[in-house]
Amino acid sequence: MTQSDTVFVQPAYSEAARQMLARKPQLFINGAWTDSSHDALIEVEDPSTGKVVARVADASDKDVDRAVAAARAAFDDGRWSALPPMEREKAMIRLADLIDAHADELAELEAIDNGKPKTMAAAVDIPSAVSEIRYMAGWAGKLNGETAAPYAVPGGKFFGYTLREPVGVCVQIVPWNFPLLMACQKIAPALAAGCTLVLKPAEQTPLTALRLADLVAEAGFPAGVINVVTGYGETAGERLVRHPDVDKIAFTGSTDIGKHIGRNAMDTMKRLTLELGGKSPVIVMPDVDVAEAATGAASAIFFNSGQVCVAGSRLYAHRSIFDRVLEGVAEAAPGWAPRPALDPRAQMGPLVSGEQLDRVMSYIAAGKRDGASVVTGGDSPSDEGYYVNPTVLADVNPQMSVVREEIFGPVVVAQRFDDLDEVARAANDTCYGLGAGVWTRDLAAMHTLAGKIKAGTVWGNCHAMVDAALPFGGYKQSGIGREQGRQGIEPYLETKTVILRL
Ligand code: NAI
Ligand code: MG
């Protein structure tokens, strides 16, 4: 089937999904569903149709304050942090099992809410969310401090050791591109460390976070440990970040808002981790199997409609194979033709919102104005829903906005290079530093580039491979701190040093 044959009809929702969409808008505070203090609502759209399918609460200042107070009380009385770590681990495993047991329903909700294909949500988002929780649960009982012999005083006179303590009340603000996965990636280390939290999903995609709250209640977490508040960033998010009773902020989203949050958090010196934007390079060396590398480069940008912080949005292919790589990516594009999220054939869905559609289309227009040529795609194939065809731009230069800025859509810019040092320089010519893909069988080239590229993750012969055990985060303006792995729990712990005179 070619792109133009696609019919943009979203299949019917399941009964379980319809029930969820019809629910009374409420917030999950102190272990119970509760009404907002006012009746403002946020409309939830299905991006596959552009139609409003649900309404959720638009948390007021009072609601935010109640959620923070619940998390504060739950932290301060030790109902979570003072539990034996094994009990925290068990509760987390129960939650992971419940998510697993509801995987099909959650995948459908994610597809309806975000527009990503249900098959992708079922293959990636939900199992990854589960593994984030399972992995971090295992750390709950392994967070010991250290003993250290003093360095500058005589031995036997002093004794020192460290304690690791939970940092306190965490505010966790997540974006709309992997809603449940990002939520679980955030709550998992906080819970393992003994923190309590308020989770705010993105206003575009609140559904799975709300369903997660049901599962939190079912898993038997003490009241107030996990609170879920739906609301807008500039109101609820802003108030959460500035709240004096909050100890730590974890945020994933745009670099601009990350900077703004950082400034707000500093007023009360909150602990801060930021996972922000990227403009990740994909480098194809001359020795590769071109067909395989081109398929990989296409997935690197078209997966999740390019709405991925590590999307491989800058393609650099060696001059000797550039034309063939470009052709290969263009040939892969029809396989990524967007379809409604519940269409079982969909590899790629629409963008999340009309706002994102406008943003992506205006980048494509700017690229064309600047002289880029469209190898494939470049258009929106339907008047309803927020679809953009997979797009490849060539004849670009490093000054163009399509090369410099995060587009967050299925748009890749392709450039040639001649040698390794040149491509390393080009890859690093960005304010971002989140990820990079290198395609080669040449071990020396692989390791040399892995060393030269300034990015939090470098992939070899794959892209966007993420695992709960491996630290993830950004260099430069792609963020502060790391999530996942042992390093991912550190930001949720304070270190206390105890020094005793003997
Ligand atoms: P955003 O950064 O505004 O929103 C992300 C989250 O931050 C949402 O939960 C939002 O409610 C919250 N937020 C917004 N303003 C806030 C504030 N003042 N205080 C506290 N929380 C706040 O991202 P947006 O507007 O949805 O997308 C804009 C661009 O950001 C995208 O085009 C993309 O380039 C980038 N982005 C990057 C993501 C990533 O994974 N790195 C995820 C989402 C967006
Ligand atoms: Mg925004």
Side-chain angles (χ1 to χ4, degrees), residues 243-284:
H243 205 295
D245 290 335
V246 170
D247 302 299
K248 184 198 158 33
I249 309 291
F251 169 78
T252 298
S254 61
T255 291
D256 282 350
I257 297 296
K259 291 177 184 175
H260 176 73
I261 284 177
R263 286 187 282 265
N264 279 343
M266 201 47 68
D267 277 345
T268 54
M269 212 67 86
K270 294 180 179 76
R271 278 56 184 141
L272 182 69
T273 41
L274 301 171
E275 297 291 346
L276 308 175
K279 190 74 181 176
S280 298
V282 170
I283 299 171
V284 185

Side-chain angles (χ1 to χ4, degrees), residues 442-454:
D442 176 344
L443 275 178
M446 179 69 233
H447 288 295
T448 305
L449 281 169
K452 282 180 184 283
I453 291 170
K454 293 183 171 60

